Amino acid sequence: MYDNAGQQVGTVAQVAGDKVAVAVGNNGIVVPLQALVQTEKGPALNASKAEIVESVEQSVKDNAAALNTALKVGAEVRSAGGSKVLGTVKQVGANSATLATAAGDVKMPRNVLFVSKAGLAANLTAGQFDEAVRNSQASSAPQSQ
């Protein structure tokens, strides 16, 4: 992904319908597909690199503030896209939250949580969440000798 001067800003992480997720450093933004223009180098946004980075940084700050407000015991956490409730917040720590789920309690890093239009959400689909829970349970199961 490039800016309006041809400087690389990030990479396209995912395209879903009319939305494009762009990874910028360790963060990212979601932009409307029609906001992109195709250049010789690849897709670009009609903004400078500084404006794009500033927008991403502001989004990170806004999400952190919204997350601090929404991340409370008893709050439902939905999958990416908001289609499925993954669990309910049971405990909130400085860097994680424990969810009560149908598969048992699951500790999630705080950095995978965000606030969407549907409410508190994780940046995992329901399938990805279920697979992560299975893998976690398998790796923490006692090994037989």
Side-chain angles (χ1 to χ4, degrees):
M1 173 67 59
Y2 297 89
D3 72 353
N4 58 7
Q7 289 187 331
Q8 186 167 6
V9 176
T11 57
V12 173
Q14 182 178 8
V15 178
D18 64 346
K19 303 282 187 213
V20 178
V22 180
V24 180
N26 292 327
N27 299 301
I29 56 172
V30 176
V31 296
L33 185 59
Q34 66 266 20
L36 301 178
V37 294
Q38 189 61 38
T39 68
E40 290 178 13
K41 290 184 173 184
L45 287 169
N46 189 20
S48 70
K49 183 174 184 174
E51 291 170 325
I52 295 167
V53 169
E54 181 181 333
S55 176
V56 170
E57 289 172 353
Q58 186 60 49
S59 292
V60 168
K61 289 177 187 173
D62 292 347
N63 184 59
L67 185 59
N68 286 337
T69 300
L71 190 56
K72 305 288 184 213
V73 172
E76 291 183 334
V77 177
R78 297 184 168 276
S79 62
S83 61
K84 181 181 177 189
V85 174
L86 302 175
T88 304
V89 177
K90 183 175 180 177
Q91 184 178 9
V92 178
N95 297 312
S96 64
T98 301
L99 304 185
T101 74
D105 291 353
V106 176
K107 192 172 186 177
M108 295 188 72
R110 191 178 180 105
N111 66 357
V112 303
L113 301 170
F114 66 98
V115 179
S116 71
K117 291 179 184 175
L120 193 56
N123 63 3
L124 302 166
T125 65
Q128 290 169 327
F129 179 79
D130 291 342
E131 182 178 342
V133 169
R134 281 191 302 275
N135 290 341
S136 174
Q137 290 171 337
S139 68
S140 65
Q143 301 294 321
S144 58
Q145 304 266 352

